[in-house]
Amino acid sequence: MNDVVLEAVNLSKRYGDDLVLDGVTLQVQRGQTVCVMGPSGAGKTSFLRCLNHLEKPTSGAVFIDGELLGYEHRGDHLVELPKREIARQRREVGMVFQSFNLFTHMSVLQNVMEAPVGVLGLDRKQARSRAEELLETVGMAHKAHAMPEQLSGGQQQRVAIARALAMRPKVMLFDEPTSALDPELVSEVLETMRRLSDLGMTMIVVTHEIGFAREVAARAVFMDAGRIVEDGTVEDVFRGAANARVRDFLGKVL
Amino acid sequence: MRPSDPSALAEDDPVPSPTSEPARHGRMVELAGLPIRQRGGHRREIIAVAVLAVLALAVWSVVSNEALQWDIVGRYMLDIRILNGVWVTIGLTAASMAVGLVLAVIVALMRLSGNWALRQAALLFVWFFRSTPVLVLLIITFNLSLFYPTLTIGIPGGPTLISGETHTLISPFMAAVLAFALNEAAYSAEILRSSITAVSTGQWEAGTALGMTRARIYRRVVLPQALRIAIPPLGNDTINMLKGTSLVAFIAVFDLMYTAQSIYQLTYEVVPLLVVVTLWYIVLVTVLSAVQSLLERRLRGRSRKLGNAARVVAGGKPA
């Protein structure tokens, strides 16, 4: 079955003279978990941020379920959509940040309810029971009324995952979700992500966690200097390590 | 063992140390067992007594000063004219601050806008009203009829809603509110702008990624957090303005100060009335300061309180 939910076509991103992304093309199947790996500066985060139009690519396009993201087609050119339209498209794509970014003035429950009530227009009761359900899923139901500052990094990240899931996204993007965590807190977040993957969520994960990639991801892509240089099953990318740059990177990380 | 380890040094050092290892250790144990005392003996107490003595003298010299005529002060403290003046001062401050803050939010958002023209317009506003002394501004707004003899509010090319002569439409009180509000807006806009930029970009990105619009992120995420940062400087400004409203004496608005002035010009009870005015300003500022610290505590402690409130609503026990 060829059920592509997200497709990036020839994405390039230039900052001044710096070519951060150099023609990246990727198709992600529904339910697939893809790990994006590579040395720092390879363009992984820029790539991820283009996938929900948080960053505008200099050229190329992203399609979510076949719909062009961020632009509309007018004759011989593309025009950026109105902000409101882009906001609507972003509901389909959840994002989890390295630094969690929970709303600091809201409780855990309010964090998860905010967008479903404010953006999707769910009534509070519905949103609340859904939020409680999601907090249960990520193992944070007992902290529903805590404020973010009272939580550990791992707990905050699990709440952030629940908050993104509350929008019922088609794809979840993870930008180094465990890089800001103390080592002993990494596994609780990875465990939550593994459960999510098992439940059939489509996930694109920028990570250095090789163990996680091995066990959870069906597929890995390796980026270097703004390009995808390896793409295949995790075993292919790791064991084969045909590419000298991949070998070099793995030598440093393992 | 690392070379920085002191015991390692003692062992490896080719020159024998002057004291033997057990003796050195014994001395350390001895020092570790000693009680710790405050440095400087009773210096603190002596300074405190001296300061209190000077303070008592100062208070006494004021209280016992015949010129202050405390009996007259007492008579005027709750005089109906003075009380009316107090109300005018409070009203002026509240109205000017309210109008000023609304303008300030608009100007701050304009300064942070992506639109060049809006940014420049905001910059011009702040530049102009920060450069103009409030007193000058006050006299200008009071004499607005000299600049614009008639005022018309309406839709350009459409019907006229309000029209009339400026001096009948704008009372001295309104002129004062206008002047103080414009001045305050320029300062508060800067406070708000810096508070908004102090909210981390991560908050913006999180909201954006959730599909929230810019306006919603401002309203629900950024402004509530920015306000928390802005409360102390805004409180400062409010206190400043409360006292600054005494300038309305120049345009004959009967606030606290002008009322007192107009009384002592008839009765020559200058000193006691100035004491009355001072005492009232002290009372008002004290109340404002209390409100400010309450607000600060409320916003800072909101974390736990809000959490508990939600828990109580949910039927659980507050922590």
Side-chain angles (χ1 to χ4, degrees):
Chain A
M1 194 178 91
N2 186 26
D3 184 11
V4 176
V5 63
L6 180 144
E7 185 160 6
V9 184
N10 219 359
L11 279 182
S12 291
K13 174 78 189 178
R14 183 183 286 282
Y15 289 113
D17 287 339
D18 232 2
L19 193 58
V20 185
L21 291 179
D22 185 8
V24 177
T25 294
L26 184 75
Q27 285 189 346
V28 178
Q29 315 283 327
R30 203 178 301 279
Q32 201 173 41
T33 295
V34 182
C35 277
V36 180
M37 315 190 91
S40 65
K44 310 180 296 284
T45 292
S46 291
F47 173 56
L48 206 66
R49 290 164 64 90
C50 282
L51 298 182
N52 67 351
H53 210 68
L54 217 50
E55 236 162 76
K56 294 173 202 171
T58 310
S59 67
V62 175
F63 298 85
I64 309 293
D65 246 353
E67 186 184 339
L68 176 60
L69 179 69
Y71 298 96
E72 62 183 322
H73 182 200
R74 280 203 192 153
D76 62 346
H77 61 283
L78 299 181
V79 179
E80 189 163 42
L81 284 168
K83 294 211 168 64
R84 184 165 292 277
E85 271 305 294
I86 299 176
R88 185 189 58 75
Q89 290 183 327
R90 283 199 183 102
R91 300 175 191 172
E92 314 281 354
V93 185
M95 184 152 191
V96 174
F97 298 88
Q98 184 176 351
S99 50
F100 334 129
N101 296 347
L102 291 181
F103 301 137
T104 56
H105 61 305
M106 296 183 188
S107 73
V108 163
L109 190 65
Q110 290 168 324
N111 259 282
V112 181
M113 286 171 64
E114 179 57 33
V117 172
V119 177
L120 298 181
L122 257 59
D123 73 70
R124 297 195 70 81
K125 231 177 106 189
Q126 243 179 316
R128 190 190 172 101
S129 68
R130 167 123 179 92
E132 279 165 350
E133 224 171 90
L134 284 168
L135 287 174
E136 194 71 56
T137 311
V138 300
M140 288 298 296
H142 63 298
K143 292 282 187 187
H145 302 289
M147 298 301 285
E149 67 194 11
Q150 300 167 313
L151 304 179
S152 73
Q155 291 176 322
Q156 290 192 45
Q157 195 59 299
R158 286 187 280 151
V159 173
I161 292 173
R163 177 175 69 172
L165 287 174
M167 297 298 286
R168 299 186 186 278
K170 289 176 178 161
V171 186
M172 285 279 282
L173 310 176
F174 293 82
D175 185 11
E176 304 203 24
T178 58
S179 298
L181 296 177
D182 290 336
E184 75 271 20
L185 301 176
V186 167
S187 66
E188 61 184 76
V189 172
L190 293 182
E191 192 44 51
T192 305
M193 289 166 60
R194 176 209 302 270
R195 196 146 1 113
L196 213 55
S197 176
D198 291 344
L199 289 171
M201 175 56 73
T202 310
M203 296 163 50
I204 302 177
V205 187
V206 172
T207 184
H208 295 298
E209 296 291 336
I210 295 200
F212 171 81
R214 276 231 168 86
E215 290 167 41
V216 179
R219 183 178 169 199
V221 298
F222 192 91
M223 288 185 71
D224 189 49
R227 295 163 174 275
I228 291 182
V229 293
E230 287 283 336
D231 180 358
T233 68
V234 179
E235 291 308 311
D236 283 346
V237 172
F238 286 171
R239 199 184 297 141
N243 194 302
R245 281 173 292 197
V246 180
R247 261 203 316 275
D248 188 42
F249 172 76
L250 288 177
K252 281 180 199 147
V253 173
L254 284 176
Chain B
M1 241 171 241
R2 301 198 333 270
S4 63
D5 191 325
S7 60
L9 264 183
E11 275 171 16
D12 300 342
D13 205 341
V15 184
S17 43
T19 50
S20 67
E21 184 58 32
R24 215 164 63 97
H25 189 251
R27 169 114 180 96
M28 287 174 168
V29 171
E30 192 193 326
L31 287 179
L34 294 178
I36 296 170
R37 294 237 172 84
Q38 189 84 50
R39 192 184 188 87
H42 295 292
R43 202 162 46 182
R44 244 184 234 185
E45 286 84 344
I46 294 167
I47 292 174
V49 168
V51 168
L52 285 178
V54 170
L55 212 64
L57 265 174
V59 169
W60 179 245
S61 85
V62 171
V63 171
S64 65
N65 191 333
E66 294 289 322
L68 266 58
Q69 297 169 279
W70 286 102
D71 52 325
I72 300 180
V73 171
R75 187 143 40 79
Y76 278 114
M77 263 322 265
L78 297 176
D79 185 290
I80 187 71
R81 289 166 293 175
I82 293 289
L83 289 183
N84 277 336
V86 168
W87 274 119
V88 170
T89 292
I90 293 173
L92 264 178
T93 309
S96 308
M97 203 64 204
V99 175
L101 273 183
V102 171
L103 282 175
V105 172
I106 296 170
V107 174
L109 294 186
M110 280 168 70
R111 276 213 64 180
L112 294 166
S113 152
N115 188 319
W116 180 85
L118 287 179
R119 276 203 311 273
Q120 296 308 310
L123 216 57
L124 197 72
F125 178 92
V126 170
W127 169 76
F128 182 79
F129 287 108
R130 279 208 306 195
S131 320
T132 320
V134 198
L135 181 55
V136 175
L137 211 55
L138 185 67
I139 294 173
I140 290 177
T141 54
F142 180 63
N143 291 304
L144 204 60
S145 58
L146 300 181
F147 296 78
Y148 299 101
T150 58
L151 274 190
T152 305
I153 298 177
I155 299 153
T160 302
L161 301 175
I162 303 171
S163 181
E165 287 183 45
T166 303
H167 67 92
T168 58
L169 280 178
I170 296 189
S171 67
F173 185 89
M174 278 170 68
V177 170
L178 193 60
F180 292 127
L182 287 171
N183 179 68
E184 186 53 37
Y187 284 96
S188 300
E190 287 298 281
I191 293 174
L192 287 176
R193 181 183 63 86
S194 63
S195 310
I196 288 169
T197 26
V199 176
S200 84
T201 52
Q203 299 286 308
W204 274 105
E205 292 187 345
T208 308
L210 285 167
M212 294 166 79
T213 57
R214 217 176 130 79
R216 177 171 294 278
I217 296 173
Y218 258 128
R219 198 160 44 82
R220 298 287 303 172
V221 179
V222 174
L223 284 181
Q225 294 183 46
L227 211 59
R228 201 187 301 195
I229 305 170
I231 288 286
L234 287 181
N236 229 3
D237 270 22
T238 313
I239 287 170
N240 246 329
M241 181 190 281
L242 180 92
K243 296 180 298 180
T245 52
S246 56
L247 287 174
V248 291
F250 281 89
I251 61 170
V253 171
F254 282 90
D255 76 324
L256 176 55
M257 182 63 199
Y258 189 55
T259 306
Q261 251 180 338
S262 59
I263 296 174
Y264 68 58
Q265 271 159 9
L266 294 178
T267 65
Y268 301 109
E269 295 158 325
V270 178
V271 174
L273 273 159
L274 286 179
V275 172
V276 168
V277 168
T278 308
L279 287 178
W280 265 115
Y281 276 119
I282 290 175
V283 167
L284 293 179
V285 169
T286 307
V287 170
L288 272 185
S289 308
V291 170
Q292 180 190 335
S293 70
L294 198 80
L295 220 56
E296 270 175 55
R297 208 144 4 108
R298 181 71 64 80
L299 284 176
R300 202 170 338 118
R302 180 185 253 186
S303 13
R304 248 139 265 163
K305 256 178 237 141
L306 260 188
N308 278 342
R311 209 185 319 249
V312 172
V313 169
K317 267 192 293 181

